[in-house]
Structures are given as C-alpha cells and as structure tokens.
Amino acid sequence: MTARSLLLATALLAAAAATASAQTRDDVTAAPQARDNVIAAPVLRANVTVAGDVVRIGDVIDNAGTSAQIAIYRAPDLGTTGSLATAHVLATLRAHQVIGVDTRDIGEISVTRLARTLQGKEIELQVARALEHRNGLGDANNLSLTFDRGVGDLRLEASNTGAMQPASVRYEPRNNRFDVTFEVATENVSTPTRLRFTGTAVETVEAAVLARTIERNEVIKSSDVILERRPKTEVGNDIAARDRAVGMQARRQLRAGQALKSADLARPDLVQRDQSVTLIYEAAGLYLTIRGKALEGGTEGDVANVLNLQSKRTVSGVVTGRGQVSVAVAAPRPAVAPDATSSLGADQTASPVSLAASTASVTATTE
C-alpha cells in the first residue's frame, strides 16, 4: 500500500469517527427534548363550577389541550348543581377525539353554575329607596309596596357584579302606581342588565288600633290597644299615639280594629252623673266636707252642678279629683264703722244708738 493510499484511509476513518461522535451527541441531546414534548394524559374532575350557560371540555378534564373550548353540555340553572355520569362524559369526549382519560375511579361529576342572588327583601328596599320622597311620598321605611308580580329571590349571571342603579323611576299619586327600572353593570360587557318592577306604593304610619269595641265614656286600658301600620290617608294627621290613648275616655263608641284619633279621646270623667260625691267647702281657716249628688259629669277642672244632700240646694263647684267637687266660699268682709263727725264738747256725751229691724239710723243729741 502506498503512502498516498494510507493517508486517504486514515482520513476516511477519522471522518467516520467524527460523524459517529456527533450522532451520539445529538441522540443524547434529543432525549430530554422528546420527554418534554410528551402530552400529559387528560384527568377527569370530580367537581366542576361554571359561570356561563354551557359546560366545555376544559371544565370537566385537566390537560384538555386544544379541545378545552369545545362546548359539550348545557349548564344547570343559575345557582343550582347538577350531575353527569362518568360513562356518559367519556362517550362524549371520545366523540370529540379525546381519549385515554384518567377517571380516577370517579363515578359521576358534580356541576355547579355560579350566580349572583338578589334577595327579595333587598329588591323591595331598593325600590322603596328609589321612590322615597317622590311626588309626596315619605321615607322609604314607611312605604308599603305591592308588586304586580311577586318578588322573590332573583338570580343573575355571576358576571353581574354592579350595584342596582335606578335608571327610570315613575310614581303616580292618583292611583299609587310605580314603575321602576334598575341597571346592573356586567363584567366585560358594555351593556348592563336591566331589571323592571311595577306595582303600587302606599305611605303608612304606626297607629294605635283597638283590639275590642269600646263603649262611649269607657276608659281605654293598655290591653285594649295594639300597634299596626296603617295607610296615612286612612288615619290622617290626627293619629293618637298609644301612650296618649291609654287611660283616656272614649267620646263615642269605637269599633274593634279602628285606628284611634285624638278627636276620639277625652280626659276621663272624675265625676259621673248621679254619682255620690264629696262636696268640699274651703276658705281661710275653714275646711268642710258634705255629701252630695252629682247632677252632671265632668273631668278635672270642669265646673259641675251638685245637689247638697244636707241643705237640698244645688251648688256649682270645680271637679278636683275622683268623686270630689270643691265649692268656693266667699270670705266675709270686715265690718266698717260709719264715718260720723260730731262737735261734742269735752263734757258732752252721745245718746244711745237704736237699730230698726229693716233700716238702721244714727241719731245724735246734745244736752
């Protein structure tokens, strides 16, 4: 073998060795990259929550890949929870070329649809606040609302996160009708959700109401009165407070369930007609009591006629207490000596004074 042939063989062997070495390095480097590119197996979820009206593949399994946004079921009603059998879910996934799902021995999937719940009482309060002081109405807490459609708890999409803002408020005092529309802002959506409510609104006041029928001149007791809210137009501005009514006397017969007015009440009579009373005669240094008979009734401070049972005379007095009438006694005037002048001398004496039965005269003589 010539030297030239030997050199050529040596070069070929070196090139072959270099190629083998480079291939070995490439194989070693490619191994971890291949491991990184392995797609993880899809795994079934036992509990699913959704905010929209559909359930997607990405909601029911982890590692859904490019199939995650495919809708496969309609979501439950707002704020409710439903269930899906695992076998049914797997069949649906295979129809969309999703296979090899790790079920983790889950028998069924629980699906809950998120929602925002507006309580019925919250809705009523918001409507009352919108109507407050509108066209003659009073405070919101004094308004009684009746809705055309019963207002219960209302569920909205979870994305409706804004407050209830009045967009349109109308009230007609002639028929008490209201029409109120609210707007609720929605996340990522420029158009808000609109809620409309219609019905009637009446202003009410707390009234003292009779629990039983009260006869004329009967005194009202605490157990006779209860508190209720009544339309302001029914009781007017002459309403009687409960504390004011108890202990008062009915001016006329009052029916059970009737709201009490100040005009219905009077201070109770301390003296009744034909009642035995005590007549009190009082003056400076004098206090005399005599039995009498009231000829008319009266409350404290009233003037009443009373028959003096001792003298059989009718006298007028002021009612001062229960069964008591005071009679004023005129104080006697002090006697005043007649103003007479005389020109009697030191040694002269006056003659005796004589008083006639009907008239009195004074006669002066001199000796």
Side-chain angles (χ1 to χ4, degrees):
M1 179 177 295
T2 63
R4 185 176 180 178
S5 299
L6 182 59
L7 290 173
L8 181 58
T10 303
L12 292 173
L13 290 172
T19 301
S21 176
Q23 184 175 358
T24 300
R25 287 195 301 272
D26 290 343
D27 292 342
V28 172
T29 303
Q33 293 177 351
R35 288 195 298 271
D36 291 341
N37 291 332
V38 173
I39 299 176
V43 179
L44 197 66
R45 294 175 178 170
N47 298 292
V48 175
T49 57
V50 296
D53 57 355
V54 295
V55 179
R56 306 177 188 277
I57 291 179
D59 295 325
V60 298
I61 61 172
D62 293 320
N63 308 321
T66 57
S67 302
Q69 296 303 313
I70 298 175
I72 53 176
Y73 295 109
R74 182 175 297 279
D77 292 337
L78 287 168
T80 63
T81 299
S83 61
L84 295 170
T86 298
H88 191 279
V89 174
L90 294 177
T92 302
L93 293 175
R94 281 195 297 270
H96 293 279
Q97 287 76 49
V98 178
I99 58 176
V101 177
D102 181 3
T103 65
R104 297 187 298 167
D105 296 327
I106 297 172
E108 64 178 17
I109 298 174
S110 174
V111 181
T112 300
R113 185 175 178 181
L114 300 177
R116 177 188 177 183
T117 300
L118 296 177
Q119 302 290 335
K121 290 185 177 180
E122 179 185 355
I123 294 173
E124 290 186 21
L125 177 59
Q126 292 299 328
V127 172
R129 287 176 176 174
L131 294 171
E132 187 175 42
H133 301 153
R134 185 173 294 270
N135 290 347
L137 289 176
D139 296 340
N141 56 358
N142 289 333
L143 300 183
S144 176
L145 305 179
T146 302
F147 292 83
D148 292 336
R149 295 181 179 179
V151 176
D153 294 349
L154 180 63
R155 292 188 176 95
L156 305 178
E157 295 284 355
S159 58
N160 289 271
T161 57
M164 294 178 63
Q165 298 292 344
S168 173
V169 181
R170 292 195 295 273
Y171 174 72
E172 177 52 61
R174 289 178 300 177
N175 53 15
N176 302 325
R177 295 286 304 172
F178 71 80
D179 188 337
V180 180
T181 299
F182 295 95
E183 289 184 349
V184 181
T186 305
E187 291 179 352
N188 304 321
V189 178
S190 59
T191 303
T193 298
R194 296 176 70 87
L195 305 173
R196 182 185 178 192
F197 304 96
T198 59
T200 57
V202 176
E203 185 175 1
T204 65
V205 294
E206 191 175 71
V209 178
L210 289 174
R212 66 180 183 89
T213 297
I214 300 294
E215 299 300 328
R216 181 177 180 274
N217 292 332
E218 187 177 355
V219 176
I220 299 173
K221 301 187 293 294
S222 177
S223 58
D224 297 330
V225 183
I226 58 177
L227 292 178
E228 290 183 1
R229 297 205 71 87
R230 292 292 179 88
K232 186 176 180 179
T233 54
E234 174 187 322
V235 298
N237 296 321
D238 190 33
I239 184 171
R242 185 180 189 279
D243 294 343
R244 166 80 172 81
V246 174
M248 298 296 281
Q249 181 175 292
R251 293 182 182 272
R252 56 187 177 83
Q253 186 187 60
L254 303 174
R255 303 185 311 275
Q258 181 175 340
L260 290 172
K261 299 182 179 181
S262 297
D264 298 328
L265 307 173
R267 290 183 299 174
D269 286 344
L270 298 179
V271 170
Q272 302 288 338
R273 179 182 175 86
D274 296 330
Q275 176 186 354
S276 294
V277 298
T278 300
L279 275 172
I280 301 174
Y281 293 89
E282 188 172 6
L286 172 67
Y287 186 91
L288 177 65
T289 61
I290 300 174
R291 291 184 59 79
K293 178 182 179 181
L295 301 180
E296 55 190 351
T299 187
E300 185 176 5
D302 289 347
V303 176
N305 289 323
V306 180
L307 177 64
N308 184 326
L309 295 179
Q310 181 173 333
S311 66
K312 305 302 181 183
R313 296 178 59 188
T314 299
V315 296
S316 293
V318 178
V319 178
T320 55
R322 188 167 298 281
Q324 293 182 349
V325 177
S326 293
V327 179
V329 178
R333 294 181 180 181
V336 178
D339 185 10
T341 60
S342 174
S343 59
L344 297 177
D347 58 346
Q348 294 177 325
T349 59
S351 63
V353 177
S354 62
L355 298 178
S358 58
T359 60
S361 61
V362 177
T363 304
T365 60
T366 58
E367 293 181 356

